[in-house]
């Protein structure tokens, strides 16, 4: 039986509406990777395409065009928590599998409704919690954790509305978003699994399974988590694998027996520790780079890299 072939896989961190960063990063990837390998690479986008930066609409145009521009590549578009919330506002999420209403999920977090100024405009009655939070108007305009002003909502969604030509919190966004953008958002996957992925380690090159998910996986029953993510179970008002923090930082113990790479964005950090890869150096800040990791080498490529081309 032949050994599996070593393929190039690029995992690209959170873009957050910065089209120039995305264009520069893509150019740097194209010039850093052997052309024959780049043309056939698997490109995994780790989510959070919208919010914070000013050009969400242009970012989605760029991503949607990739399969036709690079027909021999494989493109995987993960949902981030921001994209999930954007899709929720546009009523693009699949309905809860048990037939329940999205409003059932509001109850657990209703103590935060006033502070976060949840959306109450047209269509809110049948909206997932995260869509209401995304499009709401937060009362405290200053984000003390980041030292910046909120841009509209707790998600900093104002620039996304504006990129489509409507003010933050306007129900007109539903009409302003093109159908091809709606399809892109509706089709985003919550998790991606890949077998026979090679990675350089201190003990040589290893062949592993890779799980890509926006924030990470919690301790506990990994199979149950993956099942919920694959079917996109929208009964859950806050999906930890897309929006968790410390609880999804580590690799679950049951995945350590046969080494599994877990790659995520989300955490506003660049963290490479063995098989745990967190690729979100930019964090949506305009003065920080958007980064990618290339496997098997684990080389980090940034939009700010200056290359001889």
């Amino acid at each position: 039986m032949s050994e599996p072939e070593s393929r190039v896989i690029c995992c690209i961190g959170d873009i957050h509406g910065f089209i120039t960063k995305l264009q520069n990063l893509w150019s740097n990837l194209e010039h850093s990777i052997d052309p024959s390998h780049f043309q056939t690479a698997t490109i995994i986008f780790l989510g959070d395409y919208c919010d914070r930066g000013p050009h969400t609409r242009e970012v989605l145009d760029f991503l949607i065009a990739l399969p036709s521009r690079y027909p021999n590549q494989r493109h995987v578009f993960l949902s981030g928590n921001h994209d999930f919330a954007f899709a929720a506002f546009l009523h693009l999420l699949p309905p809860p599998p048990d037939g329940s209403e999205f409003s059932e999920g509001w109850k657990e977090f209703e103590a935060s409704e006033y502070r976060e100024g949840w959306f109450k405009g047209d269509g809110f009655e049948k909206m997932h919690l995260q869509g209401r939070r995304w499009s709401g108007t937060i009362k405290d305009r200053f984000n003390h954790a980041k030292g910046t002003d909120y841009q509209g909502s707790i998600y900093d969604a104002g620039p996304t509305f504006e990129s489509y030509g409507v003010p933050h919190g306007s129900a007109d966004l539903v009409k302003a978003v093109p159908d091809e953008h709606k399809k892109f958002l509706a089709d985003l996957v919550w998790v991606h699994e890949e077998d026979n992925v090679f990675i350089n380690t201190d003990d040589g090159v290893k062949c592993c399974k890779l799980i890509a998910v926006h924030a990470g996986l919690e301790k506990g029953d990994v199979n149950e988590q993956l099942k919920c993510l694959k079917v996109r179970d929208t009964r859950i008002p806050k999906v930890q694998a897309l929006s968790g923090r410390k609880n999804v930082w580590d690799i679950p113990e049951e995945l350590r027996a046969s080494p599994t790479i877990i790659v995520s964005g989300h955490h506003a950090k660049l963290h490479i520790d063995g098989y745990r890869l967190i690729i979100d150096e930019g964090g949506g800040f305009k003065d920080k780079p958007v980064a990618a990791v290339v496997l098997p080498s684990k080389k980090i490529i940034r939009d700010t890299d200056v290359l001889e081309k």
Side-chain angles (χ1 to χ4, degrees):
M1 184 174 177
S2 61
E3 288 291 316
E5 183 183 353
S6 174
R7 297 159 295 137
V8 167
I9 295 181
C10 304
C11 300
I12 296 178
D14 302 25
I15 299 159
H16 279 302
F18 287 104
I19 184 60
T20 302
K21 293 184 184 183
L22 174 57
Q23 291 167 333
N24 290 342
L25 174 64
W26 189 264
S27 177
N28 285 343
L29 285 167
E30 195 159 20
H31 288 91
S32 299
I33 299 169
D34 179 275
S36 63
H37 292 160
F38 184 74
Q39 291 296 331
T40 58
T42 295
I43 314 290
I44 301 173
F45 289 89
L46 297 171
D48 280 2
Y49 314 112
C50 62
D51 302 342
R52 297 182 180 151
H55 301 119
T56 289
R57 181 173 187 152
E58 291 85 346
V59 166
L60 265 58
D61 281 336
F62 183 99
L63 299 176
I64 289 166
L66 284 178
S68 58
R69 289 177 57 202
Y70 297 85
N72 295 320
Q73 285 182 348
R74 185 160 161 248
H75 304 98
V76 177
F77 300 107
L78 286 171
S79 176
N81 56 318
H82 287 255
D83 316 305
F84 177 101
F86 185 9
F89 182 79
L90 299 175
H91 303 284
L92 300 174
L93 298 180
D98 62 355
S100 62
E101 297 291 333
F102 284 137
S103 55
E104 289 294 310
W106 303 350
K107 298 173 183 177
E108 183 181 346
F109 296 92
E110 61 188 0
S112 301
E113 179 175 1
Y114 175 77
R115 182 181 70 84
E116 295 178 355
W118 295 358
F119 178 76
K120 289 185 177 178
D122 290 349
F124 89 93
E125 297 92 344
K126 293 188 176 295
M127 189 176 291
H128 189 281
L129 168 68
Q130 300 307 328
R132 295 193 65 195
R133 297 178 75 225
W134 181 79
S135 53
T137 302
I138 189 163
K139 304 301 181 192
D140 184 351
R141 306 305 302 156
F142 189 72
N143 183 336
H144 295 275
K146 291 191 171 183
T148 59
D149 288 328
Y150 283 109
Q151 299 182 74
S153 70
I154 197 161
Y155 275 95
D156 297 318
T160 295
F161 280 82
E162 291 159 17
S163 78
Y164 290 96
V166 299
H168 175 72
S170 170
D172 290 341
L173 182 66
V174 176
K175 296 177 182 175
V177 175
D179 286 345
E180 62 179 356
H181 289 205
K182 289 177 178 174
K183 183 179 188 310
F184 176 83
L185 291 164
D187 289 346
L188 295 176
V189 297
W190 292 10
V191 67
H192 174 71
E193 296 180 89
E194 185 102 8
D195 291 324
N196 299 324
V197 173
F198 288 85
I199 185 170
N200 288 358
T201 75
D202 293 340
D203 299 320
V205 180
K206 300 293 184 181
C207 182
C208 305
K209 177 173 183 155
L210 178 143
I211 298 174
V213 59
H214 181 63
L217 297 175
E218 295 183 276
K219 295 177 183 177
D221 190 333
V222 169
N223 286 333
E224 185 61 30
Q225 290 181 68
L226 293 175
K227 177 183 173 184
C228 289
L229 292 169
K230 287 173 188 173
V231 301
R232 300 188 297 172
D233 188 342
T234 56
R235 289 175 298 182
I236 306 166
K238 186 176 182 181
V239 182
Q240 290 300 319
L242 305 189
S243 58
R245 294 292 179 185
K246 293 180 180 178
N247 58 325
V248 294
W249 184 267
D250 297 319
I251 297 176
E253 196 63 37
E254 64 188 273
L255 293 177
R256 293 177 182 273
S258 55
T260 302
I261 303 163
I262 296 188
V263 60
S264 306
H266 182 63
H267 295 278
K269 285 180 170 54
L270 184 69
H271 175 80
I272 308 291
D273 182 15
Y275 297 104
R276 185 67 174 110
L277 314 179
I278 296 174
I279 313 298
D280 179 25
E281 195 165 16
F285 291 94
K286 64 181 181 181
D287 58 343
K288 293 186 177 181
V290 172
V293 63
V294 180
L295 300 178
S297 68
K298 291 198 291 191
K299 183 177 182 181
I300 302 298
I301 308 289
R302 298 174 175 86
D303 72 286
T304 51
D305 294 342
V306 179
L307 305 176
E308 291 186 13
K309 298 174 182 178

